[in-house]
Amino acid sequence: MENWLNLKGEVCAVTGALGGMGVEICREFARNGADVVLLDLDEEKVKTSAAGLADEFGIRAEGYRMDATNEDEVQAAVDAAVAAFGHVDVLVNTAGILRFSPMEDLPLSDFEAVLKVNLTGTFIASQRFGRQMIKQGRGRLVHISTAASYTPETFSGVYSSTKAGVNMLSKMLAAEWGPYGVRSNCVCPCFVKTPMSANFYADPQVEKDRSRLIATRRIGEVTDIANAVMFLASTRSDFTTGAEIMVDGGFSNMMGDLTAKPGGRRAYAENYLKNKGVALWTDEAGVKTPTDQ
């Protein structure tokens, strides 16, 4: 159904707009007819990217330099967006960083850097754009969190802790700003190919081993994340707020499947049925076992 998301003419701002997820999210907004505000640290590149989106999709787009951890820069971006478009309907917080380290070796400087970008930056951007949305009486906030906000991403320093903080921040905003017509939700990806994770998947064996952990048996793409963001950013999700949507191919449901049983979990269950005299089902081709089992 054309324009099912009802995003045509909406003004959608994206932090970290030059990152892997940010780029695809901006493009998906533009494909759906939304006007886009691109926010990132490199002023020249973000303006060039905005011009490219406008030319390709026939929408309006502006790019502004913005450090999400700098209150003055964030407020300047809000003011510029409102001056250019008259309002801002959506903010997507994608800006984030990660520093690998065992906890006993984690430098305080890395702890503070990740905390500042991932949590403080998300708060500042949400607060300043949120004030504008409160004035308007409407708005949607979408934050890129992670499945690792629920279970520790070991040896990744304070990353999981900051993203768990983002989840609670989103709930706080949803609860306090709901009466003003402002919604706040998180998207929680896991195992997605982005520039940040590209080196993981350069090794085919790593991709194969990781895929085995996922119910759908594939690594996610940035389009998978962008699609979830579009739903939460649209009026189609108007009764959804304070939620975290897992976009992880079912990885978070796999604990039981990954726990060993004698001979393998499927074989153990099949042998149980055979011992009871139960005939096992096969399809017309006589195949029922997944190829990776």
Side-chain angles (χ1 to χ4, degrees), residues 253-276:
N253 295 322
M254 293 296 285
M255 181 62 73
D257 187 69
L258 298 174
T259 304
K261 279 190 176 179
R265 296 187 68 86
R266 176 182 290 275
Y268 187 90
E270 290 177 344
N271 288 334
Y272 174 83
L273 292 176
K274 289 176 182 177
N275 291 335
K276 293 182 67 174

Side-chain angles (χ1 to χ4, degrees), residues 165-178:
V166 169
N167 293 353
M168 183 52 68
L169 172 64
S170 178
K171 285 181 168 64
M172 291 288 293
L173 298 175
E176 293 190 16
W177 292 355

Side-chain angles (χ1 to χ4, degrees), residues 56-286:
E56 182 176 357
F57 295 101
I59 51 92
R60 296 176 63 198
E62 296 290 343
Y64 306 113
R65 175 195 152 75
M66 192 191 85
D67 178 348
T69 70
N70 184 306
E71 291 182 274
D72 292 337
E73 289 191 16
V74 174
Q75 189 59 54
V78 175
D79 294 342
V82 173
F85 296 97
H87 57 96
V88 179
D89 301 291
V90 175
L91 171 69
V92 182
N93 283 305
T94 79
I97 62 173
L98 188 158
R99 298 287 185 269
F100 296 101
S101 175
M103 293 301 284
E104 69 270 21
D105 298 314
L106 178 64
L108 181 58
S109 58
D110 280 1
F111 178 100
E112 292 175 336
V114 176
L115 179 65
K116 187 174 183 180
V117 173
N118 293 3
L119 186 53
T120 305
T122 297
F123 164 70
I124 295 172
S126 298
Q127 183 191 63
R128 297 313 173 94
F129 277 91
R131 288 173 179 174
Q132 175 61 32
M133 294 174 182
I134 289 171
K135 290 178 185 177
Q136 299 166 178
R138 69 184 189 282
R140 284 91 73 189
L141 305 170
V142 184
H143 318 281
I144 302 299
S145 182
T146 173
S149 63
Y150 287 87
T151 56
E153 180 74 16
T154 55
F155 306 107
S156 295
V158 74
Y159 179 74
S160 289
S161 300
T162 61
K163 290 298 188 175
V166 169
N167 293 353
M168 183 52 68
L169 172 64
S170 178
K171 285 181 168 64
M172 291 288 293
L173 298 175
E176 293 190 16
W177 292 355
Y180 302 110
V182 180
R183 295 188 292 111
S184 177
N185 293 286
C186 290
V187 172
C188 298
C190 190
F191 294 154
V192 178
K193 291 180 180 177
T194 69
M196 186 183 293
S197 66
N199 63 313
F200 300 159
Y201 302 110
D203 183 342
Q205 188 61 45
V206 170
E207 179 162 350
K208 180 180 179 181
D209 291 344
R210 286 187 168 213
S211 296
R212 172 63 185 84
L213 304 176
I214 301 171
T216 57
R217 297 301 195 268
R218 72 172 177 88
I219 303 300
E221 303 288 346
V222 288
T223 52
D224 296 311
I225 310 309
N227 288 337
V229 170
M230 292 305 108
F231 171 68
L232 292 176
S234 77
T235 56
R236 292 290 181 178
S237 61
D238 262 356
F239 204 51
T240 302
T241 193
E244 290 112 32
I245 294 183
M246 286 288 183
V247 186
D248 64 354
F251 168 71
S252 54
N253 295 322
M254 293 296 285
M255 181 62 73
D257 187 69
L258 298 174
T259 304
K261 279 190 176 179
R265 296 187 68 86
R266 176 182 290 275
Y268 187 90
E270 290 177 344
N271 288 334
Y272 174 83
L273 292 176
K274 289 176 182 177
N275 291 335
K276 293 182 67 174
V278 177
L280 301 180
W281 173 85
T282 58
D283 63 19
E284 292 178 358

Side-chain angles (χ1 to χ4, degrees), residues 8-38:
K8 189 172 183 179
E10 298 281 87
V11 178
C12 303
V14 181
T15 75
L18 299 178
M21 289 187 188
V23 167
E24 186 59 28
I25 289 167
C26 288
R27 289 184 62 81
E28 197 60 37
F29 275 134
R31 285 190 192 100
N32 282 279
D35 296 328
V36 187
V37 179
L38 290 77

